[in-house]
Every structure is written in structure tokens, then in C-alpha cells.
Amino acid sequence: MPATAKICGLSTPETLDAAIAGGASHVGLVFFAPSPRNLSWTRAAQLAARVPAHVQRVGVFVNPDDALIEQAVAAGHLDILQLHDTTPERAAAIKARTGLAVWIAVAVRTRGDLDAALTYTGVADKVLYDAKTPPGAALPGGMGVRFDWRLLDGFRHPLPWALSGGLDPFNVAEAVAATGATLVDVSSGVESAPGIKDLGKIGAFLRAVNDL
Ligand SMILES: O=C(O)c1ccccc1NCC(=O)[C@H](O)[C@H](O)COP(=O)(O)O
């Protein structure tokens, strides 16, 4: 299979189960209070307990402090920490403290934005190229914003990477063909409203990825 998928921002047992049944390789649990996908510790634990060993649990954070990470890791039995708006120094400290794999989200609008990935060499285990959300936006991700995939043409990736931002069941095949991504990430593209995951859209997205 040329690509696998992370379904991000899951918050109910039904939609989590649909992602797992559809073949997602990763499920994303958001720990950021302003997000409509933010999880309580109780809900995170409830969801984490349903995830089989072959599917990885990714905690999504925005420049988190140690207390937040510790509580989220404990509740969500996280395998991977996905960090937004977090410096290389802080990401390195988080990785050293937790011993967990770290993914760094790099917000992309221009070719120059990609260079931020270089600064995480030796720190992050993977780069998630995500679209830069508009200035003043409430969230740095999960807003269905897409960047120009051609920006990745010829870029020498310093780390393993994944593609995110504005993907949906209808464009994900084109996105993989255009970029060569081997891991794709989606949130609002499989929702019916912000924070409300749609069983049909999750299934359609994963079928599109599985059919590649
Ligand atoms: O999804 C959120 O609410 C969120 C909040 C704070 C930081 C990151 C967040 N999401 C990160 C993701 O991994 C999303 O899947 C990614 O940005 C793509 O979102 P979308 O464009 O809606 O598919």
C-alpha cells in the first residue's frame, strides 16, 4: 500500500471505531482547550482503551507545558506527540523527558516555510507538513486549509514526513500522486461540522487511501 492514514481529532467511540475498522494507521487525540476536538482526560482514556496495538495513538498539542503532556500521556496512552508552534529546543526537551516519538507540525504557505523542517533534524521523528492557517485563526490546524502541494517538488526532506491540510475523500488520491506522501492526515475533511466527525466521510477517506 503506497500510503497510510491518520484520522485526527477523534472524540467519540463510534468515530474512533470507524477509523480503526477502515484501516487507519494512526488516530489523533487533540489536547488543546480552544479546539472543538479537545478531549477531557476521561474521554481520552475511554478512547485510548479501544485502540488496538497495531494503530498508533497520536496526541496533538500546541506548545504544551510538561503538566499537560504528562496528564495526556497518562490518560491517552500516547505513542506519539504531535507538536504545533513548538521550538526545536522545546521539542527536544519534550522528547528527552517523555521518551516518546515526536512529530513536528510545520505550517506551510510558501516555499520558504518548508525550511523550518531543517531545524528539527535530530529532534523530531517526523515532519507533518500542514497548511498555515490565516493570521488570527483560533487554531493552527484542523481548519481545512490546503497549501500548494507543488511547493514540495524537489524539496530535500530532512526527516520522514507526512502530508496534511485540507485533505478530503475527493482530493487525497491526487495529493498522494502529486507529492509522493506515504502518510496522509485529515481532520475537518471527514467532518460534518467543526469537531463532529462523519462516519461516512471517514470510511470514504480511508477507502480512497486503501485503493491507492
Ligand atoms: O484539529 C485541531 O483541532 C487542532 C487543534 C490544534 C492544533 C492542531 C490541530 N489539528 C492538527 C491536525 O493534525 C489536523 O489533522 C491537521 O491540521 C489537518 O486538519 P484539516 O485541514 O482540517 O484536515
Side-chain angles (χ1 to χ4, degrees):
M1 185 165 57
T4 61
K6 166 175 165 261
I7 306 295
C8 196
L10 292 156
S11 59
T12 68
E14 295 75 18
T15 55
L16 178 86
D17 290 352
I20 294 166
S25 56
H26 299 77
V27 291
L29 307 179
V30 173
F31 300 95
F32 184 56
S35 172
R37 308 169 185 100
N38 185 50
L39 298 176
S40 67
W41 307 130
T42 304
R43 178 52 67 100
Q46 179 191 23
L47 296 177
R50 304 176 78 87
V51 181
H54 71 276
V55 176
Q56 295 206 285
R57 292 165 292 231
V58 182
V60 177
F61 303 89
V62 181
N63 195 23
D65 63 22
D66 289 338
L68 177 62
I69 292 173
E70 280 170 18
Q71 286 179 291
V73 170
H77 296 279
L78 303 177
D79 301 298
I80 297 165
L81 307 176
Q82 177 181 318
L83 306 176
H84 293 248
D85 294 345
T86 305
T87 64
E89 294 74 22
R90 179 68 186 136
I94 290 169
K95 185 173 174 65
R97 186 180 172 92
T98 62
L100 294 175
V102 163
W103 291 5
I104 193 72
V106 167
V108 180
R109 185 182 304 131
T110 68
R111 177 69 184 234
D113 291 331
L114 297 176
D115 291 339
L118 306 176
T119 66
Y120 294 89
T121 307
V123 173
D125 297 276
K126 193 182 290 290
V127 173
L128 182 75
Y129 298 113
D130 198 356
K132 190 175 282 188
T133 58
L139 304 174
M143 297 192 67
V145 181
R146 173 176 157 177
F147 69 91
D148 182 354
W149 302 323
R150 289 172 302 184
L151 296 175
L152 296 175
D153 289 353
F155 184 65
R156 291 169 63 88
H157 299 283
L159 288 162
W161 59 280
L163 182 68
S164 188
L167 301 180
D168 62 35
F170 305 103
N171 68 17
V172 66
E174 181 192 350
V176 169
T179 64
T182 57
L183 175 60
V184 289
D185 169 67
V186 65
S187 186
S188 61
V190 293
E191 290 180 342
S192 56
I196 309 298
K197 289 286 182 294
D198 182 291
L199 293 174
K201 291 182 181 180
I202 289 172
F205 187 88
L206 291 170
R207 280 193 299 278
V209 173
N210 294 339
D211 287 348
L212 290 170

